[in-house]
């Protein structure tokens, strides 16, 4: 009944409190964007080009690199233009499309950690059956349910958000985030808020609980097998680092928007942005350094490229 006055154009007003210093944000976010693109592209190239890395875990790492390569593309360029040229406008359709892809790819950040935990569980707890269980046709039973869950929930709550009427059109954010857009709606937003909470508990919360249980079982198996504990611990530490980083930033971003607190708006926007951008920068670096086989191939690739450049320069 309020659709007549509903806004169809929005202004993304994130970090407006900084005033004239706002354009300075272009520099750190641009550098993070470049690091994310280069690091993930390099990691993806190395895994694809080296046949010795065509193993389940390396393929999952490459899949995460592809995810982390795509995710910033949907919001960082627009954010950088906003900082540099003060371009803040976006249509409702554009906002919903951006929101869908951001939350869709963001959901798979935790889901890839689940698939990696499953791989580590079978590799360490049932090594004799590892290759049999991790064969694609068998591993699909772990992939398909999580992928379908993500697609359905994200599409559902974004679609429901698009049916709301909006009384305000100035969003205190740098991109279209679910709660930031819902806060501007007229009338009751109970169903949209509830569906957003359900999506949060069924995707990142469930995924992190799944990963936690998996690693409890993994470390229990490691302690019982002292002969392989050192190697297994080294293998798992990389994934534990990524899980800790992702969980910390995700919980901070989630709680800052959904629990009443005294955090300034710019701080909430910062954490919400870092939740998406920080893993894209650091995950490929952590995996590149922490995984011995990948690190060796990355160093060889960089050395080969450096030699090629030097040869052409002569």
């Amino acid at each position: 009944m309020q659709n007549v006055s509903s806004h169809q154009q929005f202004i993304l007003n994130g970090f407006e409190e900084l005033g004239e210093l706002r354009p300075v944000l272009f520099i750190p976010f641009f550098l993070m964007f470049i690091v994310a693109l280069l690091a993930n592209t390099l990691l993806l190239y190395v895994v694809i080009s080296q046949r010795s890395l065509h193993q389940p875990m390396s393929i999952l790492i490459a899949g995460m690199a592809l995810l982390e390569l795509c995710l910033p593309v949907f919001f960082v360029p627009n954010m950088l233009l906003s900082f540099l040229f003060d371009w803040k406008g976006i249509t409702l359709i554009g906002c919903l499309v951006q929101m869908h892809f951001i939350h869709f790819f963001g959901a798979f950040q935790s889901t890839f950690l689940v698939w990696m935990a499953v791989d580590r569980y079978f590799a360490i707890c049932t090594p004799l059956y590892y290759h049999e269980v991790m064969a694609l046709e068998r591993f699909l039973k772990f992939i398909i349910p999580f992928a379908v869950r993500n697609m359905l929930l994200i599409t559902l709550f974004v679609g429901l958000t698009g049916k709301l009427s909006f009384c305000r059109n100035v969003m205190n954010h740098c991109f279209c985030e679910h709660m930031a857009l819902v806060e501007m709606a007229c009338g009751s937003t109970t169903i949209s808020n509830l569906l957003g909470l359900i999506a949060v508990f069924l995707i990142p919360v469930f995924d992190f609980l799944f990963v936690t249980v998996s690693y409890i079982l993994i470390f229990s198996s490691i302690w019982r097998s002292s002969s392989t504990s050192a190697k297994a611990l080294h293998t798992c530490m990389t994934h534990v680092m990524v899980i800790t980083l992702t969980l910390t930033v995700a919980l901070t971003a989630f709680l800052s928007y959904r629990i009443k607190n005294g955090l300034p708006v710019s701080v909430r926007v910062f954490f919400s942005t870092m939740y998406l951008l920080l893993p894209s920068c650091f995950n490929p670096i952590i995996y590149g350094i922490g995984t011995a086989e990948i690190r060796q191939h990355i160093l060889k690739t960089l050395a080969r490229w450096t030699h090629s450049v030097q040869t052409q320069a002569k």
Side-chain angles (χ1 to χ4, degrees), residues 143-185:
I143 294 177
I144 293 175
F146 285 96
V148 171
R149 176 204 62 180
N150 291 0
M151 288 187 287
L152 287 179
L153 286 173
I154 299 303
T155 302
L156 189 58
F157 82 69
V158 171
L160 189 61
T161 302
K163 294 183 180 297
L164 296 173
S165 296
F166 301 97
C167 300
R168 294 180 290 136
N169 70 334
V170 178
M171 192 185 309
N172 289 319
H173 218 303
C174 293
F175 54 86
C176 291
E177 196 267 345
H178 177 244
M179 284 303 299
L181 183 59
V182 169
E183 286 178 350
M184 300 190 300

Side-chain angles (χ1 to χ4, degrees), residues 46 66 120 129 175 198 231 267 290:
V46 168
L66 179 61
R120 290 300 85 197
Y129 303 99
F175 54 86
I198 290 173
K231 180 179 179 180
V267 175

Side-chain angles (χ1 to χ4, degrees), residues 4-309:
V4 175
S5 60
S6 180
H7 286 284
Q8 299 295 313
Q9 298 282 337
F10 296 92
I11 298 173
L12 297 171
N13 215 27
F15 297 113
E16 188 65 18
E17 298 84 353
L18 297 179
E20 294 181 356
L21 292 177
R22 189 172 182 268
V24 177
L25 292 175
F26 174 87
I27 298 173
F29 282 108
F30 175 74
L31 292 176
M32 292 181 70
F33 183 52
I34 294 300
V35 169
L37 293 182
L38 293 179
N40 284 291
T41 300
L42 176 61
L43 180 57
L44 194 59
Y45 170 80
V46 168
V47 174
I48 292 175
S49 62
Q50 302 298 325
R51 293 185 61 86
S52 61
L53 294 178
H54 294 178
Q55 303 296 325
M57 176 51 72
S58 297
I59 292 173
L60 287 172
I61 290 175
M64 178 168 274
L66 179 61
L67 174 74
E68 306 289 10
L69 182 63
C70 295
L71 180 56
V73 173
F74 288 102
F75 73 97
V76 176
N78 188 60
M79 188 171 69
L80 294 176
L81 290 174
S82 174
F83 292 152
L84 205 57
F85 302 110
D86 209 33
W87 295 351
K88 302 178 181 179
I90 190 171
T91 65
L92 176 60
I93 296 299
C95 189
L96 293 173
V97 170
Q98 186 186 60
M99 184 196 305
H100 182 274
F101 282 109
I102 287 174
H103 287 290
F104 178 76
F105 284 109
F108 276 96
Q109 284 182 320
S110 63
T111 302
F112 263 98
L113 296 178
V114 169
W115 293 334
M116 290 179 179
V118 171
D119 175 273
R120 290 300 85 197
Y121 173 80
F122 287 124
I124 294 171
C125 298
T126 59
L128 296 178
Y129 303 99
Y130 173 70
H131 291 288
E132 179 182 347
V133 175
M134 291 302 294
L136 180 58
E137 60 272 13
R138 295 205 173 193
F139 194 62
L140 281 175
K141 67 183 179 182
F142 295 103
I143 294 177
I144 293 175
F146 285 96
V148 171
R149 176 204 62 180
N150 291 0
M151 288 187 287
L152 287 179
L153 286 173
I154 299 303
T155 302
L156 189 58
F157 82 69
V158 171
L160 189 61
T161 302
K163 294 183 180 297
L164 296 173
S165 296
F166 301 97
C167 300
R168 294 180 290 136
N169 70 334
V170 178
M171 192 185 309
N172 289 319
H173 218 303
C174 293
F175 54 86
C176 291
E177 196 267 345
H178 177 244
M179 284 303 299
L181 183 59
V182 169
E183 286 178 350
M184 300 190 300
C186 310
S188 175
T189 59
T190 303
I191 296 177
S192 186
N193 284 328
L194 180 61
L195 191 57
L197 284 172
I198 290 173
V200 167
F201 281 105
L202 289 183
I203 300 179
V205 173
F206 176 84
D207 288 353
F208 285 120
L209 288 175
F210 188 102
V211 169
T212 300
V213 172
S214 299
Y215 274 94
I216 289 174
L217 296 174
I218 289 170
F219 284 116
S220 297
S221 176
I222 289 173
W223 301 136
R224 291 195 301 267
S225 178
S226 58
S227 61
T228 59
S229 61
K231 180 179 179 180
L233 276 172
H234 177 75
T235 304
C236 291
M237 285 311 298
T238 300
H239 309 296
V240 172
M241 290 171 60
V242 172
I243 291 165
T244 303
L245 173 66
T246 305
L247 178 59
T248 301
V249 182
L251 285 178
T252 304
F254 169 74
L255 294 175
S256 67
Y257 260 92
R258 289 165 177 83
I259 295 180
K260 292 186 179 298
N261 53 70
L263 285 177
V265 175
S266 58
V267 175
R268 292 195 302 171
V269 174
F270 175 77
F271 280 117
S272 185
T273 306
M274 287 299 100
Y275 163 58
L276 298 174
L277 189 54
L278 200 62
S280 294
C281 293
F282 286 98
N283 283 359
I285 297 174
I286 292 172
Y287 283 124
I289 296 174
T291 308
E293 296 85 354
I294 294 178
R295 180 175 66 248
Q296 292 170 2
H297 285 293
I298 286 177
L299 292 175
K300 290 179 181 178
T301 300
L302 291 176
R304 188 170 64 251
W305 287 353
T306 302
H307 177 72
S308 178
V309 171

